[in-house]
Amino acid sequence: MATVAELLQPVEADLDALLADLRSLIGAGHPILQAAAEHLFAAGGKRLRPGIVLLISRAISPAGELESRHRRLAEITEMIHTASLVHDDVVDEASTRRGVDTVHSRFNHRVAVLAGDFLFAQASWHLANLNDLEVVKLLSRVIMDLADGEVKQGLFRYDTGQNFETYLEKSYCKTASLIANSARAAGVLTGLNPAQLDSLYRFGRQLGLAFQVVDDILDFTGSDQQLGKPAASDLASGYLTAPALYALEERPALAGLIEREFSQDGDLEQALDLVRSSQAITRSRALAQGFADEARDALSWLPPSPSRSALLALPEFVISRLY
Amino acid sequence: MATVAELLQPVEADLDALLADLRSLIGAGHPILQAAAEHLFAAGGKRLRPGIVLLISRAISPAGELESRHRRLAEITEMIHTASLVHDDVVDEASTRRGVDTVHSRFNHRVAVLAGDFLFAQASWHLANLNDLEVVKLLSRVIMDLADGEVKQGLFRYDTGQNFETYLEKSYCKTASLIANSARAAGVLTGLNPAQLDSLYRFGRQLGLAFQVVDDILDFTGSDQQLGKPAASDLASGYLTAPALYALEERPALAGLIEREFSQDGDLEQALDLVRSSQAITRSRALAQGFADEARDALSWLPPSPSRSALLALPEFVISRLY
């Protein structure tokens, strides 16, 4: 199986340039933000989101060339994503993300709020200056979905009555909307037809959902070290994801443990045993696989190119994190 | 002298409807945000910013009627303003604003970050859906200026070497940009000519600067009770405004007190005496008066209407807070 670096190889140089741009854009003349920018846009991150925008932009370009507006779109995508992570970490009081200190724990929550606002503001400014109202609408929808997802996530904590639809909606808002709408926006900038735009959106949506479900499974099956955070931390915090929701159907005893917020000794361990001994992980894997297959199928119409090959391999790469 | 309620009388009903809209928009389906929305958009606030947009919209409308896009613009203006206040209060660690608890002290900084993001997101979504790229650019410039102003303010704390230009730039970013660009945007939606648009922008810019200088003077001359915060709190926090910068020219001893961040007993009182015994307050008043006069002159071309009269009286009303 390819690594993510191998998959992003067709746009590796583009991504390096993008990260350098972002570091200088955010840090320029603002010592307070400089350190936060270095921290946020350090080299070596995988940058899947701008990578996808860049791969799509190259794959749909008649000459395989990248236009400056597509580069800018990829940058905006990463700014919005990073701004939302920085603020979410304040709201969720997370102290690490994938094993790295969050901005508000490394600096403080004032710098985190400021850095996030500055990134959102830069994103909205550059977005307007792409001079395409349709693209502005797509990305402002993303910003709304991200805020909405964060609110929804808080609303349904420890709520065993929530249905699967709610979970998918929250996953769409928090993860898939950005990938789906930025993929579509890349197509809008190239002037693709409506059916092609729909397929780019569908690719991003299904890939984003697969990505989120895989993340949610890993929370149950990964070790603390693999995850860069304590295992089962979603469940412990009351965030009910695919495995927990499937397990609730099979193991009614789980509901009681969740509803009393794991307040008694051994509750969380017992809940984990219930999830792991059920069909929940198997069913969640099938769900993720379905989304991944749909994502891949959505792009079969692309003309052959290294970028197309990378895009078609991405969904299976996302799934491979499970094995 | 008229009260602000009297001045806003031509758009009183519009403002009431706008506040009701904002409360339901932000609170709908989100109990976490509901309380914050009630708190933020409580009846009785003066709502000068949307009031100005509404007055301008009526004053430039051929029939004196308000279109729904102008109403929406006024709403967006208030959303951006409120979002920025809520986040600034987190960044500045302010516990009250004009005598009222801030969101992060009433609730906590997590709710404040979430509420601010939600408001920014709603604003950016409604903005895109006004379907006017020029208006999107004007308001996204405002969002950028607000973030920039907050960063600048932090950068120049206790910096006695900063020049007057820096202070005016920061005041433009934090206060005048929103009024100036939303005034211009109202004109764009009505289809005014470039000279008229420039004069709307100039009105908003000079009024915003007058407003900020008056605020900065009151910090030195008002009592704790009048201000709803401790007097001279700007100076104590190291924010050097017009009175302090003028006083520095006359009283070199002031620089030492500021540079050691008022670390010795009696430093702040001594600094206040130096400012109050100089020409600084008189010169600051003249500065504010100049901005107010320029604001009024910018709109003399408007056709007669109750809204025009209110707009022409506004600059003098801002100055009257000093006496």
Side-chain angles (χ1 to χ4, degrees):
Chain A
M1 190 66 213
T3 64
V4 67
E6 284 161 7
L7 284 178
L8 295 177
Q9 196 276 325
V11 293
E12 193 189 340
D14 305 328
L15 273 172
D16 287 345
L18 180 144
L19 282 179
D21 264 17
L22 283 175
R23 276 197 300 273
S24 67
L25 196 67
I26 308 306
H30 301 102
I32 309 167
L33 295 181
Q34 183 116 44
E38 291 294 333
H39 180 70
L40 286 168
F41 301 110
K46 58 185 161 48
R47 312 299 159 189
L48 209 52
R49 288 161 185 81
I52 291 170
V53 172
L54 293 166
L55 285 172
I56 289 177
S57 302
R58 285 202 178 271
I60 61 180
S61 156
E65 293 290 312
L66 211 54
E67 285 176 60
S68 64
R69 297 171 81 202
H70 287 99
R71 283 182 206 277
R72 193 45 68 120
L73 176 66
E75 248 174 53
I76 292 168
T77 303
E78 183 66 3
M79 283 190 231
I80 293 175
H81 172 60
T82 306
S84 124
L85 289 187
V86 171
H87 280 186
D88 285 359
D89 286 338
V90 176
V91 174
D92 302 340
E93 293 181 321
S95 59
T96 59
R97 176 176 289 274
R98 304 198 188 282
V100 177
D101 285 351
T102 56
V103 171
H104 80 103
S105 73
R106 170 90 164 250
F107 304 94
N108 58 53
H109 67 257
R110 300 165 59 202
V111 171
V113 172
L114 201 57
D117 282 350
F118 196 78
L119 279 166
F120 270 130
Q122 287 272 348
S124 111
W125 167 243
H126 287 297
L127 183 56
N129 285 279
L130 283 179
N131 279 312
D132 188 306
L133 200 49
E134 199 179 339
V135 172
V136 172
K137 285 188 191 179
L138 290 172
L139 275 290
S140 72
R141 179 78 239 180
V142 170
I143 293 173
M144 183 115 129
D145 285 339
L146 287 167
D148 221 30
E150 185 66 10
V151 171
K152 277 206 181 78
Q153 175 166 297
L155 267 182
F156 288 100
R157 278 175 75 185
Y158 301 109
D159 180 351
T160 58
Q162 70 184 286
N163 55 31
F164 217 81
E165 206 48 53
T166 306
Y167 160 71
L168 290 180
E169 233 175 80
K170 191 226 74 187
S171 303
Y172 174 76
C173 285
K174 293 211 65 167
T175 309
S177 173
L178 177 66
I179 308 178
N181 284 297
S182 61
R184 187 183 187 101
V188 170
L189 291 177
T190 304
L192 298 191
N193 69 42
Q196 292 170 320
L197 294 179
D198 286 347
S199 76
L200 288 177
Y201 174 88
R202 184 166 170 80
F203 168 77
R205 181 181 187 278
Q206 306 311 90
L207 183 69
L209 291 174
F211 191 86
Q212 188 58 55
V213 174
V214 166
D215 238 31
D216 295 340
I217 295 171
L218 289 175
D219 190 58
F220 284 91
T221 61
S223 66
D224 296 11
Q225 208 184 357
Q226 280 174 308
L227 299 173
K229 63 178 181 179
S233 64
D234 288 345
L235 185 62
S237 307
Y239 303 130
L240 306 187
T241 59
L245 293 172
Y246 281 136
L248 274 168
E249 294 174 11
E250 274 182 66
R251 305 268 192 261
L254 183 56
L257 300 171
I258 294 171
E259 280 155 17
R260 70 185 187 216
E261 303 190 2
F262 312 113
S263 52
Q264 296 180 22
D265 268 2
D267 273 3
L268 187 61
E269 292 67 27
Q270 205 187 326
L272 272 175
D273 284 345
L274 287 172
V275 175
R276 287 174 179 157
S277 69
S278 73
Q279 290 302 303
I281 300 295
T282 306
R283 290 175 72 192
S284 301
R285 282 180 178 151
L287 179 72
Q289 186 71 56
F291 287 138
D293 292 345
E294 288 162 357
R296 192 199 53 233
D297 293 347
L299 291 193
S300 50
W301 59 274
L302 286 173
S305 74
S307 295
R308 175 193 196 262
S309 305
L311 288 165
L312 293 191
L314 255 176
E316 209 48 43
F317 166 76
V318 166
I319 298 297
S320 75
R321 293 168 62 218
L322 289 175
Y323 301 98
Chain B
M1 190 69 214
T3 64
V4 68
E6 284 161 6
L7 284 177
L8 294 177
Q9 195 275 325
V11 292
E12 194 188 341
D14 305 327
L15 272 173
D16 288 345
L18 180 144
L19 281 180
D21 264 16
L22 282 176
R23 276 197 300 272
S24 67
L25 195 66
I26 309 305
H30 302 102
I32 310 167
L33 296 181
Q34 184 114 44
E38 291 294 334
H39 179 70
L40 286 167
F41 301 109
K46 59 184 161 49
R47 311 298 158 189
L48 208 51
R49 287 162 186 79
I52 291 170
V53 173
L54 293 166
L55 285 172
I56 289 178
S57 302
R58 284 202 179 274
I60 61 179
S61 156
E65 293 291 313
L66 211 53
E67 285 176 60
S68 64
R69 297 171 82 202
H70 287 97
R71 283 183 207 278
R72 192 47 67 125
L73 175 66
E75 250 174 50
I76 292 167
T77 304
E78 183 65 5
M79 284 190 230
I80 293 175
H81 173 60
T82 306
S84 123
L85 289 187
V86 171
H87 280 185
D88 285 359
D89 286 338
V90 177
V91 174
D92 302 341
E93 293 181 320
S95 59
T96 61
R97 175 175 290 275
R98 302 197 188 282
V100 177
D101 286 350
T102 57
V103 170
H104 81 102
S105 72
R106 171 90 164 250
F107 305 94
N108 58 53
H109 67 258
R110 301 166 58 201
V111 172
V113 172
L114 202 57
D117 282 349
F118 196 79
L119 280 166
F120 270 130
Q122 287 273 348
S124 110
W125 168 244
H126 287 297
L127 182 57
N129 285 281
L130 283 179
N131 280 311
D132 188 306
L133 200 51
E134 198 178 339
V135 171
V136 171
K137 285 187 191 179
L138 290 172
L139 275 290
S140 72
R141 180 79 237 180
V142 170
I143 293 173
M144 181 114 130
D145 285 340
L146 287 167
D148 220 31
E150 185 67 9
V151 171
K152 277 205 182 77
Q153 175 166 296
L155 268 183
F156 289 100
R157 278 176 75 186
Y158 301 110
D159 180 351
T160 57
Q162 70 184 283
N163 55 32
F164 217 80
E165 206 47 52
T166 306
Y167 160 70
L168 290 179
E169 234 176 79
K170 191 225 70 185
S171 302
Y172 174 77
C173 285
K174 293 210 68 168
T175 310
S177 172
L178 177 66
I179 308 177
N181 284 298
S182 61
R184 187 183 188 101
V188 170
L189 291 178
T190 304
L192 299 190
N193 68 42
Q196 291 169 322
L197 294 179
D198 286 348
S199 76
L200 289 176
Y201 174 87
R202 185 168 169 79
F203 168 77
R205 182 181 185 281
Q206 307 311 89
L207 183 69
L209 290 174
F211 191 86
Q212 187 57 55
V213 174
V214 165
D215 239 30
D216 295 340
I217 296 170
L218 289 174
D219 190 58
F220 283 91
T221 60
S223 65
D224 295 9
Q225 208 183 358
Q226 281 174 306
L227 299 173
K229 63 177 181 180
S233 64
D234 288 344
L235 185 63
S237 306
Y239 302 131
L240 306 186
T241 59
L245 293 172
Y246 281 137
L248 274 168
E249 294 175 11
E250 272 181 67
R251 305 270 192 258
L254 183 56
L257 301 171
I258 294 171
E259 280 155 17
R260 69 184 186 215
E261 303 190 3
F262 311 114
S263 51
Q264 297 180 23
D265 267 3
D267 274 2
L268 187 61
E269 293 67 26
Q270 206 187 326
L272 272 175
D273 285 345
L274 287 172
V275 174
R276 287 174 179 157
S277 68
S278 73
Q279 290 302 303
I281 301 295
T282 306
R283 290 175 72 190
S284 301
R285 282 181 178 148
L287 179 72
Q289 186 69 57
F291 287 138
D293 292 345
E294 288 163 355
R296 192 199 54 234
D297 293 348
L299 290 193
S300 49
W301 58 275
L302 285 174
S305 74
S307 294
R308 175 193 196 261
S309 306
L311 287 165
L312 293 190
L314 255 175
E316 210 47 42
F317 166 77
V318 165
I319 298 297
S320 75
R321 294 168 61 219
L322 289 175
Y323 299 99

